[in-house]
Amino acid sequence: MKSEDRRKLLLNIADALEANESLILVENAADVAAAEAEGYEKALISRLALKPGKISALAKSICVIADMEEPIGRILKKTELADGLILEKTSCPLGVLLIIFESRPDALVQIASLAIRTGNGLLLKGGKEARQSNAILHKIITSVIPESIGDKLIGLVPSREDIPDLLKLDDVIDLVIPRGSNSLVSEIKSSTKIPVLGHGDGVCHVYVDKSANADMAKKIVLDAKIDYPAACNTMVISLYINFCFCSRSCIFNTFSLRHWLQQPNWLPTLEATLALDEESVRRVGDDSVGDQQFLVS
């Protein structure tokens, strides 16, 4: 597909999602109710639920992807090997991607949008708890794909039992991206010859350097934890912050950080601990203290 065709397809998908918002929310509510009945953890149910305004936000993000710079055919590197002989490194689609993810049905929309913009084919396997949400989202997205391309551009894997067979198709699938627990990633890596783009344990840190702007740093730290606490990329376990002393005041102190991060309805286990020795604590505000670390766990 040409760049403009892919762009138009994404805009049509955005329109289709907004036009079918009520239908999507009905299916999602059914998934949420089933998950609650099964006794799933609250964090998983939070990731599963499509909250008010989520479909509209997804549609807007698709439009942003549609208008991004053309990712295919960009010259990334050029080297002259000899007189008149030039070697170019050019961006191109990866091919067919198998992406395994859990809980979040909005991830299906995000992944599909990026795959279309970058010219990749896609096989998606979502969590069983989001079965109905994923099915309706997939149906809506593929319904606007032109017949000349075919709705098989984006496939939805119906069952976990299909994954072992798919992992054997190293002549068809070019890359596997498992999004889930560390054990899931390890299991996938040990079960296939296909290249696997895995990840660690999802331990996300925020580091604020001493040169950072104080107001910007506050906003980043707040957003990293409270914008979407249940998501896998929220600030997790540890937040290390270097103090910045400017005019005898620091970006963070133990009282203000506790105030920001321990508001009602936020994560109840969140706790702030000042990782300074007693002498350093007594000298807070003194320019000679220098760089220290703040640990939130």
Side-chain angles (χ1 to χ4, degrees):
M1 295 176 66
K2 294 180 179 179
S3 178
E4 184 59 26
D5 293 334
R6 283 182 274 117
R7 177 180 176 275
K8 289 180 180 178
L9 175 54
L10 286 172
L11 295 178
N12 289 338
I13 289 173
D15 291 340
L17 288 174
E18 290 194 298
N20 291 277
E21 180 175 6
S22 59
L23 180 57
I24 295 169
L25 295 180
V26 167
E27 298 298 316
N28 181 248
D31 280 334
V32 171
E36 290 174 339
E38 289 289 331
Y40 282 102
E41 294 181 357
K42 289 183 178 180
L44 184 145
I45 294 173
S46 178
R47 292 194 295 272
L48 174 61
L50 294 173
K51 297 177 176 62
K54 188 63 177 181
I55 300 301
S56 177
L58 284 171
K60 289 178 181 177
S61 68
I62 293 172
C63 293
V64 171
I65 294 172
D67 290 331
M68 70 183 286
E69 181 183 357
E70 170 56 41
I72 301 174
R74 295 170 55 196
I75 298 176
L76 306 176
K77 187 177 181 181
K78 182 183 291 187
T79 304
E80 186 173 4
L81 302 178
D83 187 24
L85 180 60
I86 297 175
L87 177 65
E88 291 183 349
K89 181 180 180 180
T90 306
S91 62
C92 65
L94 292 168
V96 177
L97 314 180
L98 169 59
I99 301 184
I100 304 166
F101 59 100
E102 300 176 345
S103 304
R104 291 174 48 212
D106 52 317
L108 184 149
V109 178
Q110 296 161 347
I111 295 167
S113 301
L114 289 170
I116 290 171
R117 192 69 184 97
T118 54
N120 289 288
L122 195 58
L123 288 171
L124 292 164
K125 174 62 183 79
K128 63 180 181 180
E129 63 279 355
R131 187 186 307 275
Q132 291 181 233
S133 302
N134 288 337
I136 189 61
L137 289 169
H138 177 259
K139 182 178 180 180
I140 292 170
I141 290 172
T142 54
S143 69
V144 298
I145 297 177
E147 291 184 7
S148 58
I149 299 169
D151 57 8
K152 288 184 172 57
L153 174 68
I154 300 174
L156 187 64
V157 181
S159 172
R160 184 176 182 177
E161 285 67 37
D162 295 320
I163 296 299
D165 289 334
L166 290 172
L167 293 176
K168 297 175 183 177
L169 301 178
D170 55 298
D171 59 334
V172 176
I173 298 172
D174 298 284
L175 181 67
V176 180
I177 305 177
R179 295 289 303 151
S181 64
N182 187 264
S183 59
L184 170 67
V185 175
S186 299
E187 181 183 351
I188 296 297
K189 284 183 175 180
S190 63
S191 304
T192 185
K193 296 179 181 179
I194 304 169
V196 177
L197 181 60
H199 60 85
D201 292 316
V203 183
C204 304
H205 297 71
V206 174
Y207 169 80
V208 181
D209 189 74
K210 61 183 180 180
S211 61
N213 175 278
D215 290 334
M216 179 182 69
K218 291 177 184 179
K219 292 176 182 178
I220 289 173
V221 171
L222 276 174
D223 182 75
K225 191 64 194 177
I226 68 173
D227 178 64
Y228 193 177
C232 61
N233 62 343
T234 191
M235 187 179 70
V236 177
I237 297 182
S238 298
L239 165 64
Y240 297 96
I241 303 176
N242 269 26
F243 275 125
C244 174
F245 292 94
C246 181
S247 301
R248 303 178 67 82
S249 65
C250 61
I251 293 178
F252 298 102
N253 60 56
T254 187
F255 304 106
S256 60
L257 193 60
R258 284 181 185 276
H259 175 71
W260 294 332
L261 298 183
Q262 290 190 337
Q263 296 294 329
N265 301 322
W266 294 0
L267 295 184
T269 58
L270 198 58
E271 197 172 300
T273 305
L274 188 60
L276 299 176
D277 57 44
E278 291 183 5
E279 175 61 19
S280 295
V281 172
R282 286 195 295 270
R283 291 162 55 200
V284 167
D286 187 334
D287 289 344
S288 64
V289 172
D291 296 343
Q292 301 292 345
Q293 284 191 323
F294 213 59
L295 171 63
V296 176
S297 60

